[in-house]
């Protein structure tokens, strides 16, 4: 069973994504801010991370950079989930090391396909 760390400041998004993934055989852990995500990564390494870009404490870009720069976590695939749809935002996420990008509002099938795709790569 693959483990997914979901990082999003929206409790509704955390709940929805957790339910979708758990109903499809994944184990989930959630963090509602960047510092909690970093604390989680100190205690366990998920198989994949779903990361929101717009958070109040530290931007998702900064979180992504920190994950990629850390030898312990750099191999964990990170998929960005964001309401930002501008080409520049999407390209920046890929340039910083994201393996995929999902725009909000989320489509269940897309989330499942992208998570599965990132796990088999």
């Amino acid at each position: 069973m693959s483990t997914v760390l979901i990082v999003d400041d929206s409790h509704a998004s955390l709940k929805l994504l957790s339910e979708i993934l758990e109903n499809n055989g994944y184990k989930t852990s959630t963090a509602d801010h960047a510092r909690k995500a970093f604390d989680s990564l100190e205690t366990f390494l998920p198989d994949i991370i779903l990361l929101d870009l717009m958070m109040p404490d530290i931007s998702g870009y900064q979180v992504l950079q920190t994950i990629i720069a850390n030898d312990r976590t750099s191999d964990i695939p990170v998929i960005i989930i964001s309401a930002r749809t501008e080409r520049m935002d999407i390209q920046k996420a890929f340039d910083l090391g994201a393996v995929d990008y999902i725009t909000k509002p989320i489509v269940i099938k897309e989330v499942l396909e992208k998570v599965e795709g990132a796990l088999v790569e």
Side-chain angles (χ1 to χ4, degrees), residues 18-51:
S18 290
E19 286 177 3
I20 291 167
L21 293 165
E22 288 172 5
N23 288 338
N24 285 277
Y26 295 94
K27 182 178 179 200
T28 64
S29 179
T30 61
D32 59 2
H33 54 83
R35 301 228 185 274
K36 187 173 178 183
F38 293 139
D39 289 345
S40 293
L41 291 171
E42 289 296 318
T43 59
F44 85 101
L45 294 177
D47 296 300
I48 191 166
I49 299 169
L50 300 182
L51 175 64

Side-chain angles (χ1 to χ4, degrees), residues 79-93:
I79 296 175
I80 300 299
I81 295 186
S82 180
R84 292 183 177 199
T85 60
E86 296 294 321
R87 170 89 38 220
M88 184 175 67
D89 294 315
I90 296 169
Q91 187 60 52
K92 182 175 180 179

Side-chain angles (χ1 to χ4, degrees), residues 9-115:
D9 62 318
S10 164
H11 291 277
S13 290
L14 290 175
K15 183 177 185 216
L16 176 62
L17 288 166
S18 290
E19 286 177 3
I20 291 167
L21 293 165
E22 288 172 5
N23 288 338
N24 285 277
Y26 295 94
K27 182 178 179 200
T28 64
S29 179
T30 61
D32 59 2
H33 54 83
R35 301 228 185 274
K36 187 173 178 183
F38 293 139
D39 289 345
S40 293
L41 291 171
E42 289 296 318
T43 59
F44 85 101
L45 294 177
D47 296 300
I48 191 166
I49 299 169
L50 300 182
L51 175 64
D52 183 30
L53 282 183
M54 298 182 289
M55 293 186 293
D57 56 345
I58 300 172
S59 82
Y61 292 125
Q62 291 170 302
V63 175
L64 177 59
Q65 286 178 300
T66 302
I67 290 168
I68 297 299
N70 183 328
D71 289 339
R72 188 168 174 270
T73 57
S74 63
D75 290 335
I76 301 170
V78 178
I79 296 175
I80 300 299
I81 295 186
S82 180
R84 292 183 177 199
T85 60
E86 296 294 321
R87 170 89 38 220
M88 184 175 67
D89 294 315
I90 296 169
Q91 187 60 52
K92 182 175 180 179
F94 282 114
D95 290 347
L96 293 175
V99 299
D100 217 327
Y101 197 103
I102 298 170
T103 57
K104 292 180 180 179
I106 64 165
V107 175
I108 295 171
K109 184 177 179 185
E110 178 184 21
V111 170
L112 294 172
E113 287 174 355
K114 290 190 176 201
V115 167

